[in-house]
Structure formats: structure tokens, C-alpha cells
DNA sequence: ATCTTATTTCGGTGTTTGGCGAACTAGCGA
DNA sequence: TCGCTAGTTCGCCAAACACCGAAATAAGAT
């Protein structure tokens, strides 16, 4: 969860996510949308992947990135926890 | 909104928020809960205040911090935007 | 095998961030 | 006024971060 928030902390990464919410995209397609070096974008992909917010799948020479919805669910309920004061969430043992 | 995400990116700041969701607290009370210098915490308060997530009110010599719920609503719907709006949109013809 | 395309990893740099202690400000009471 | 307490601001440092170009990897095509 810590990783998720850190990942969401960068504007470029959030924009990557909003692009991916429309459709899956390859690393190259995504990189085209930004005025940054491909290597820089690749770094962002790594952060997002480690946070669990996106997943990657190799197709031949290209790598397709897509959103991992369940990671978003977690982020969502984390913010909700912060919101709904005094109501400790059950679940999640240990 | 950008500021909000940046503010949420730091674990210490998120912990400050979870403390404040239980009750309003003074800067000193909050600082006691962390193994950090007061000046460091003061910096975190500033970030949170500028992001709009908390508000401060002076009471004599102490400063009371409290959550600003509406900023959370915004953060919440921002994550929701990332989650819902868009993905499998079969887009009805017209 | 070699070439080409797609992408990542590596080494480096400049900037931002979180941390500290010391110095400063604000308000209160003697 | 002076002194005390609560907080903040200031100057500094080290670690983390975003960014780049160059080199490395991966896989299909020739």
C-alpha cells in the first residue's frame, strides 16, 4: 500500500494510469505521449509495476501494459479508511 | 489535487492523517507520537495544510490541527476516476 | 547469423525531499 | 518587563528521485 501511494505521488505516473484506463498500451505507445526519454518512462513503468497498479505482458517484441484494477480497489478503500472517521475496517487479519 | 497526491505519498503524513481522523490534535500532541524532531513534523504539517487535507487553528499558544474532509472527498473521487470512468465502455451507438 | 525494432538496464547528473538543530516568533502569566 | 512554553522558520546535509544518453537485452525478420 505504501508503494501504491508513492506511485500515485508523481503526476507523470498518474497520467500513465489515465491513459491505461482507456485501453492497454505498449511501452512505446505510452512513451510517445510524453516529452520524456523512453528510459525515463521505463523507470515509471517499473515503479507502477512494483506498486501493483499495472501489469505487463510481453507480446513478441513489444510489452503491453494494462491496469490492475484490484490494486485500485485497495487504494480506494485506503482513502476511504482515511475518510470514514472512527469506523475501523474489520477484515485483514494479521 | 496534485498537491494532495504528493501529500499522501509520505507514510509519516498518512499516519498524521489517521491520528487526526480520531480527534483534533495540537502540533505538540502529534509530534509526541513520532520519533522525529518537531521542526520535521512542522514541515509535514505545512505540506498537509497546503494540500488542503488539514486545517489549523490557533488557540492561545497552541495550534490545533484537524482534518479537512472535503479535500478527502476530492482525493476519493480522483481515485474513483482512475478506477471506474472509462475502461470497458461499450459506448452506445447514436 | 545479422539486422532491426522495442524496451530495459546502467551510470551519471541536477533537483527535491526528509531529516536535524539552532534561531526566531507568538502568546501567556508573573 | 522577563521568562516560559508551543510552534515555526532557517540553513544545512544526505538520501531519494526524475531525468538523460548510451549500452545491453529480447525477439522477430531477412
Amino acid at each position: 500500500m505504501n508503494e501504491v501511494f508513492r506511485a500515485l505521488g508523481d503526476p507523470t505516473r498518474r497520467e500513465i494510469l489515465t491513459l491505461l484506463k482507456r485501453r492497454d498500451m505498449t511501452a512505446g505507445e505510452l512513451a510517445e505521449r510524453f516529452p520524456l526519454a523512453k528510459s525515463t518512462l521505463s523507470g515509471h513503468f517499473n515503479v507502477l509495476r512494483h506498486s501493483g497498479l499495472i501489469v505487463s505482458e510481453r507480446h513478441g517484441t513489444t510489452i503491453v501494459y494494462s491496469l490492475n484494477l484490484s490494486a485500485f480497489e485497495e487504494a480506494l478503500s485506503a482513502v476511504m479508511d482515511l475518510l470514514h472517521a472512527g469506523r475501523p475496517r474489520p477484515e485483514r487479519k494479521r
Side-chain angles (χ1 to χ4, degrees), chain A residues 4-35:
Chain A
V4 173
F5 277 109
R6 198 182 86 68
L8 290 174
D10 182 85
T12 300
R13 287 195 286 267
R14 287 202 302 281
E15 206 170 328
I16 292 172
L17 294 172
T18 50
L19 286 172
L20 287 181
K21 101 184 162 191
R22 271 181 272 205
R23 59 183 176 85
D24 296 353
M25 292 174 89
T26 68
E29 285 177 324
L30 283 167
E32 278 174 9
R33 259 79 169 188
F34 297 87

Side-chain angles (χ1 to χ4, degrees), chain A residues 50-64:
Chain A
H50 279 117
S51 78
L53 285 167
I54 67 175
V55 294
S56 64
E57 194 183 340
R58 181 168 274 266
H59 274 133
T61 93
T62 74
I63 293 181
V64 177

